[in-house]
Amino acid sequence: MTTAQSSVPKAAPKFASVGSPYFGIMLAVMAVVLILSNIGASKGVAFGPIVTDGGFFLFPLAYILGDVISEVYGFKVARKAIVTTFALSVFASLCYWVIIALPGFDDDFGVAKQAALEGAIGPVPQIVLASLLAFFAGQTINSWILVRMKARTGEKSLWARIMSSSVAGEFVDTLIFCSIAASVIGISDFGMFVNYVLVGFLYKTLVEFLFVPVTTLAIGWVKKREPSYG
């Protein structure tokens, strides 16, 4: 009896198809969050001995949205969301480059404004490159682990899927991003770099852990309103 039961194949995990407006809304918000994070990340921020960047309070939201998309729609849809988000980030970076390159007024105010604009969004292309590689790798790992765990547990242990995938995804993301973006932000020595990586990883992971109840509620809300789920 036990052998017969163990030979029964597990049911395939449930996912929704993309047909309702919910996916489009989450994709749009994810793209905006990432673009704003890239701008904010060009500024180094120090809270006493703690070193981070100006996008620290925004970026975890993109991962939370990634968890919702992965859990509800599956890995293939999540991967499309990641690629689309990055394409929009690259487009935004190209727009910044064109804006900076356009000839401005040559009076004192125009020159000062040009310098301020270059200082504010000039480093963004390198930040976008860092974000492109880091977020693509981190989100892909995050989504893959979450979906693989769902294939084993079904609808159970959602909190465990979110927390486990977040730790792996955030570590890869933070390490790659900090390695590329550190020089733009102004981090010049190894001690500051280690501080930047550890603070970024611990902060992002802690935020995701604290928001697990909210993420769980959001996932449940979307599942109930997706006609094709399951």
Side-chain angles (χ1 to χ4, degrees), residues 38-227:
N38 289 339
I39 297 173
S42 63
K43 176 181 178 178
V45 175
F47 295 102
I50 298 175
V51 178
T52 183
D53 58 64
F56 77 95
F57 66 98
L58 279 169
F59 195 75
L61 296 177
Y63 262 83
I64 292 172
L65 288 168
D67 286 338
V68 177
I69 292 173
S70 299
E71 173 69 21
V72 177
Y73 301 99
F75 181 70
K76 290 183 179 180
V77 175
R79 185 171 55 189
K80 290 180 181 179
I82 296 168
V83 172
T84 302
T85 300
F86 277 126
L88 293 172
S89 296
V90 171
F91 175 71
S93 184
L94 292 174
C95 289
Y96 302 147
W97 178 79
V98 172
I99 292 169
I100 291 174
L102 290 172
F105 298 155
D106 56 4
D107 58 2
D108 291 342
F109 179 75
V111 172
K113 199 166 187 177
Q114 176 70 15
L117 193 64
E118 292 177 0
I121 63 176
V124 166
Q126 187 169 338
I127 296 293
V128 170
L129 174 62
S131 182
L132 177 67
L133 298 177
F135 192 70
F136 184 85
Q139 269 284 17
T140 301
I141 290 173
N142 178 73
S143 177
W144 185 81
I145 291 176
L146 191 149
V147 173
R148 291 286 293 179
M149 290 182 68
K150 185 175 182 178
R152 294 183 178 182
T153 63
E155 296 296 309
K156 299 178 181 178
S157 304
L158 175 57
W159 63 272
R161 293 198 293 276
I162 295 173
M163 295 176 72
S164 300
S165 61
S166 296
V167 170
E170 291 288 13
F171 178 75
V172 172
D173 183 294
T174 304
L175 183 61
I176 295 175
F177 179 83
C178 293
S179 299
I180 299 174
S183 61
V184 176
I185 297 170
I187 295 174
S188 55
D189 61 74
F190 183 72
M192 288 182 67
F193 174 75
V194 172
N195 187 324
Y196 185 37
V197 173
L198 290 179
V199 168
F201 169 66
L202 293 175
Y203 165 76
K204 294 172 186 176
T205 305
L206 178 61
V207 169
E208 287 215 49
F209 282 6
L210 291 175
F211 273 81
V212 165
V214 178
T215 306
T216 303
L217 289 174
I219 288 172
W221 189 90
V222 176
K223 284 180 177 178
K224 289 180 181 178
R225 285 158 179 79
E226 276 290 4

Side-chain angles (χ1 to χ4, degrees), residues 4-14 148-154:
Q5 289 178 343
S6 62
S7 62
V8 176
K10 295 181 180 180
K14 299 177 182 179
R148 291 286 293 179
M149 290 182 68
K150 185 175 182 178
R152 294 183 178 182
T153 63

